[in-house]
Amino acid sequence: MSAEASVLYDAPGPKAKARDRVYNIVFTAAFVALFIFLAWQFYDNGVFDDRWAVLWDPPKGQEAADVWTALVVRGLGATLLATVIAAPIALISGGLLAVARRGMTKRAGIWSSVIVTEIFRGLPVLLLMFLAKLGFGWSPLWSVVFGLAVYNMAVVAEILRAGLAALPKGQREAGLSIGLSPMRTTLMIELPQAVRIMLPALISQIVVLLKDSSLGYIVGYQELLRQVKLLRDYFGVDYTIPLFFVGAAMYIAINITVSRLAIWIEGRMRRSNHVPKRPDGEDAMHEGGAEAARFTANTGYGTGGTPGP
Amino acid sequence: MITFIDEFGTIWGAFLATVSLTAVSGVLALIGGVVVATFRVSPIGPLRTFGTVYVEIVRNTPLTLMFFFWVFVAPSFGLVFPELGFWPAIVALSLYTSAFVCEAMRSGINSVGLGQAEAARSIGMTFGQSLTHVVLPQAWRSAIPPLISVLIALTKNTSVAAGFAFTELVAISQRLANRHPADVIELFVGVGLMYLLITIPLGVLASRVEKKVAFAR
């Protein structure tokens, strides 16, 4: 039983335990019944027939290797290629924006970085991709990279802004008092600590970037989802389910792995002594705070401080 | 600028399509999300497991994949929509967004002071009673700003419907861009402003509400 749930109900006594056991059995039985019903429906629709053979013995004279090359090498490869190009661009330019906002002394510099951040995180990624494709006439790959990089640049800038804001004030004051300029204070003292406390959020944001690379399907980039569609069109509609199943499993497996990595790093950081602490001894970023800031950066304006999911 | 004004009638229609998609799937996602959030904090094990698995899978699924499922895969399972476009988009967006609504609600429930739930239990309220009479009414208050954030994300996410036979803002800007190749950038800037017209006021509203509901704990 998790700690958050136990707030809402007492540790069960003998009577409640007996009742919970009944509930457990009833609901488990209900879920199993639902599952069997759905499986039966699927069976009726022929979901479990020989169509799955497309994965090891495809029709139309193709080899299993052809199918898997299309899915893994061309499909997943293209998805990861767009991610691997866009992620560093987004991280570096987002970092520059955040540093400009915190460290610049010129009003114009600060405001331009604020405006860029606020505009680009309020626009749909797909719109940015179409802008690059139809407006600038870029290739599908670079349109996808443009959309992913520009949107996530704004989000990364906002995540780092939240991280910089969460640092104890003394850090900045110390930097300024030994005669560093505001920019140097930001770069040498604050940014490394902000990146450290926001690392879980930055990693989770890579999951968002990877998820959004599937929008390439719409702008004509031949990534994983498009390969699934192409194979389906080639082999016939009957083979949709196995092909989709493999594609979805790849996406979800990668994303869950990276999300877990972020949670693991957060847990490790929580136990470490090398994270910035406030004067009262609390961690500068409370538990789940980095994730909340990332959520806000993706979705809202000025809702910093709310414990979001 | 002229092209944008000339085509404003078309763009306005698409804007309304985006707004209605956001509104309908927003309401459905809110209902679904509250139900899943209740599952996730309930004392009944199988419901908690269901809620956790649902949120974990949906959060790690690309929205495009979700659309793809309802448009191309669901018919193979025997689920056929009477027509493409609006309803598959509603189903995909509602299911996707409800996972995020659930997380926003759960964070709201967690933010309610420990003493409140303890007080409710100590006067003999059951799980259902303490949730509906004591915890949820307070959880709403702190859940509203993140819920508005979810709504903003949903507004942007409706653009994915452009790839699945629904004519909203992005789909119409793509069509107009093909019709007026010389004014593409101007059209996209205009459509971008239409999105900001929804998202920025919602963001301002969220921060207002947040200040208003910030009560002492």
Side-chain angles (χ1 to χ4, degrees):
Chain A
M1 187 184 302
S2 58
E4 66 191 5
S6 62
V7 177
L8 288 168
Y9 40 84
D10 282 308
K15 220 173 135 188
K17 265 187 191 152
R19 199 191 52 208
D20 282 354
R21 206 171 300 132
V22 173
Y23 278 152
N24 261 324
I25 292 167
V26 168
F27 278 98
T28 310
F31 278 125
V32 169
L34 183 74
F35 189 74
I36 291 173
F37 171 74
L38 284 177
W40 185 253
Q41 290 286 311
F42 293 169
Y43 180 78
D44 260 5
N45 280 302
V47 173
F48 302 120
D49 59 12
D50 57 352
R51 66 181 65 184
W52 290 83
V54 72
L55 298 178
W56 56 85
D57 184 20
K60 294 199 178 182
Q62 300 290 311
E63 299 285 324
D66 300 331
V67 175
W68 285 96
T69 314
L71 285 172
V72 177
V73 180
R74 289 205 292 279
L76 190 61
T79 292
L80 293 179
L81 178 68
T83 309
V84 166
I85 300 176
I89 302 177
L91 288 171
I92 292 169
S93 50
L96 288 177
L97 275 181
V99 167
R101 188 164 178 178
R102 180 85 169 186
M104 294 246 283
T105 37
K106 295 258 189 321
R107 278 265 169 75
I110 294 171
W111 276 104
S112 53
S113 98
V114 172
I115 289 169
V116 167
T117 311
E118 295 300 307
I119 285 182
F120 287 121
R121 73 195 176 100
L123 293 178
V125 182
L126 190 60
L127 191 76
L128 295 168
M129 288 181 183
F130 271 125
L131 172 69
K133 191 182 182 208
L134 303 172
F136 311 151
W138 290 4
S139 73
L141 169 64
W142 289 103
S143 306
V144 169
V145 169
F146 175 82
L148 293 176
V150 170
Y151 174 77
N152 287 288
M153 165 190 80
V155 173
V156 166
E158 190 58 22
I159 290 173
L160 288 176
R161 188 195 64 78
L164 289 166
L167 293 178
K169 254 193 342 209
Q171 299 290 327
R172 188 175 183 80
E173 287 165 357
L176 294 175
S177 68
I178 58 168
L180 295 176
S181 68
M183 184 52 93
R184 285 191 160 235
T185 309
T186 306
L187 277 175
M188 296 165 66
I189 294 175
E190 290 185 303
L191 188 66
Q193 303 185 64
V195 169
R196 193 180 169 109
I197 59 174
M198 298 316 268
L199 199 57
L202 293 173
I203 293 173
S204 310
Q205 190 58 31
I206 302 295
V207 172
V208 175
L209 195 148
L210 189 85
K211 277 166 64 179
D212 282 347
S213 74
S214 67
L215 292 169
Y217 171 81
I218 301 172
V219 293
Y221 179 54
Q222 310 241 326
E223 42 68 76
L224 181 52
L225 199 55
R226 177 55 72 184
Q227 290 297 341
V228 169
K229 179 77 170 21
L230 288 174
L231 286 172
R232 163 195 186 267
D233 292 344
Y234 179 75
F235 286 119
V237 178
D238 280 352
Y239 296 101
T240 309
I241 291 175
L243 294 170
F244 176 81
F245 181 81
V246 172
M250 283 198 248
Y251 269 119
I252 294 174
I254 293 175
N255 289 337
I256 288 187
T257 311
V258 182
S259 304
R260 279 288 142 81
L261 177 70
I263 294 170
W264 179 73
I265 286 186
E266 163 133 40
R268 221 178 83 108
M269 217 169 60
R270 234 32 46 248
R271 292 189 297 273
S272 137
N273 292 322
H274 304 287
V275 286
K277 298 223 189 306
R278 292 203 308 261
D280 57 6
E282 288 289 309
D283 284 346
M285 186 54 72
H286 59 87
E287 187 161 3
E291 190 58 19
R294 185 187 70 78
F295 183 77
T296 313
N298 268 291
T299 57
Y301 290 86
T303 50
T306 312
Chain B
M1 202 59 221
I2 306 297
T3 321
F4 186 74
I5 294 168
D6 280 350
E7 298 285 3
F8 192 72
T10 322
I11 293 172
W12 182 251
F15 177 75
L16 293 182
T18 291
V19 171
S20 56
L21 203 54
T22 310
V24 177
S25 48
V27 170
L28 292 176
L30 190 63
I31 298 168
V34 171
V35 171
V36 180
T38 315
F39 282 7
R40 283 201 77 173
V41 298
S42 84
I44 301 162
L47 290 184
R48 273 208 306 274
T49 313
F50 172 82
T52 313
V53 170
Y54 177 79
V55 170
E56 183 77 349
I57 288 182
V58 171
R59 287 217 308 176
N60 287 300
T61 304
L63 180 57
T64 328
L65 198 75
M66 187 74 108
F67 268 89
F68 191 91
F69 177 82
W70 290 104
V71 173
F72 295 115
V73 185
S76 300
F77 285 117
L79 276 163
V80 186
F81 287 93
E83 54 178 315
L84 279 184
F86 192 67
W87 289 107
I90 291 286
V91 172
L93 285 168
S94 307
L95 286 177
Y96 184 79
T97 311
S98 61
F100 295 90
V101 170
C102 166
E103 290 305 274
M105 281 310 295
R106 211 162 60 96
S107 77
I109 290 173
N110 288 339
S111 74
V112 174
L114 209 67
Q116 298 290 326
E118 280 173 353
R121 281 192 289 121
S122 67
I123 58 168
M125 285 187 173
T126 62
F127 167 75
Q129 285 171 330
S130 57
L131 196 63
T132 50
H133 295 305
V134 178
V135 176
L136 274 184
Q138 299 181 65
W140 274 115
R141 295 176 58 143
S142 47
I144 284 176
L147 282 176
I148 296 177
S149 292
V150 172
L151 194 64
I152 293 173
L154 173 62
T155 311
K156 292 187 287 177
N157 283 338
T158 57
S159 64
V160 180
F164 297 89
F166 184 67
T167 310
E168 41 66 74
L169 272 176
V170 169
I172 213 74
S173 51
Q174 190 195 357
R175 205 169 301 165
L176 291 177
N178 288 328
R179 201 183 299 165
H180 308 280
D183 309 308
V184 175
I185 292 181
E186 165 203 320
L187 278 167
F188 275 95
V189 170
V191 170
L193 287 176
M194 305 288 275
Y195 273 106
L196 295 178
L197 204 64
I198 311 177
T199 54
I200 288 184
L202 278 177
V204 173
L205 179 70
S207 54
R208 285 267 172 82
V209 172
E210 187 177 19
K211 278 191 195 107
K212 211 159 197 177
V213 298
F215 49 92
R217 295 221 172 81

